[in-house]
């Protein structure tokens, strides 16, 4: 097998794996598929973790994951698809960051892995086994990569920053005990 063929096959496998996982994750949010809670349940959860309004946050995350994942798997609009998926995973990583890195402890490992894979595919491109290639890369131009990442970074910074401010404000006024009290019986 030629080197170019191996690279294209590897990119296809990465796109199908990461894109499929992202699309399924988003379908849990949007449609309640695969054991998910749909827009209503996910919206309530999003509110509880500081993404307000919850229903709009669930819709945006679900669309970025489902749409970005599906488009990545197909290799279509790869810069925008990868950037959108990476942005959604940055929002998820922000939620899990207080738990450390590893997924087994509730950390951000999984979100970071999916996000970095999506970002890498957006930068690298989809390869020849893709709809972008079939369409002559009409929606996969070099200038689209920085444009997609700039737009996604700006939106993600606003959303994650607003969540962080809400969480900080909610903690204001809460005071931790200075000393642990022991009760003697």
């Amino acid at each position: 097998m030629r080197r170019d063929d191996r690279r294209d096959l590897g990119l296809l496998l990465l796109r199908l794996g990461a894109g499929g996982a992202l699309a399924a994750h988003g379908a849990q949010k949007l449609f309640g598929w695969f054991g998910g809670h749909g827009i209503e349940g996910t919206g309530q959860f999003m509110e509880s973790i500081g993404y307000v309004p919850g229903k709009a946050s669930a819709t945006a995350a679900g669309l970025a994951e489902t749409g970005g994942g599906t488009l990545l798997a197909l290799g279509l609009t790869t810069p925008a698809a990868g950037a959108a998926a990476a942005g959604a995973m940055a929002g998820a990583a922000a939620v899990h960051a207080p738990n450390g890195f590893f997924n087994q402890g509730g950390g951000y490992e999984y979100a970071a892995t999916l996000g970095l894979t999506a970002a890498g595919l957006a930068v690298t491109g989809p390869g020849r086994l893709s709809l972008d290639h079939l369409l002559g890369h009409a929606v996969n131009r070099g200038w689209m990569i920085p444009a997609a990442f700039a737009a996604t970074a700006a939106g993600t910074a606003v959303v994650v920053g607003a969540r962080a401010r809400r969480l900080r404000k909610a903690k204001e006024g809460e005071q931790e005990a200075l000393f642990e009290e022991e009760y003697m019986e």
Side-chain angles (χ1 to χ4, degrees), residues 70-156:
T70 300
L71 291 171
L72 273 178
L74 295 171
L76 182 61
T77 69
T78 304
M89 291 298 99
V95 172
H96 295 281
N99 300 322
F101 178 71
F102 292 104
N103 191 51
Q104 73 187 38
Y108 64 94
E109 173 185 17
Y110 183 64
T113 300
L114 283 177
L116 288 169
T117 301
L121 288 167
V123 171
T124 303
R128 291 179 296 168
L129 303 173
S130 66
L131 290 179
D132 274 341
H133 183 75
L134 185 68
L135 299 173
H137 296 279
V139 288
N140 179 30
R141 304 280 187 212
W143 64 267
M144 294 175 180
I145 297 165
F149 278 107
T152 299
T156 302

Side-chain angles (χ1 to χ4, degrees), residues 144-172:
M144 294 175 180
I145 297 165
F149 278 107
T152 299
T156 302
V158 167
V159 171
V160 172
R163 174 185 179 265
R165 283 188 300 281
R166 273 191 290 283
L167 293 177
R168 264 194 316 275
K169 188 172 182 174
K171 278 197 162 216
E172 285 177 5

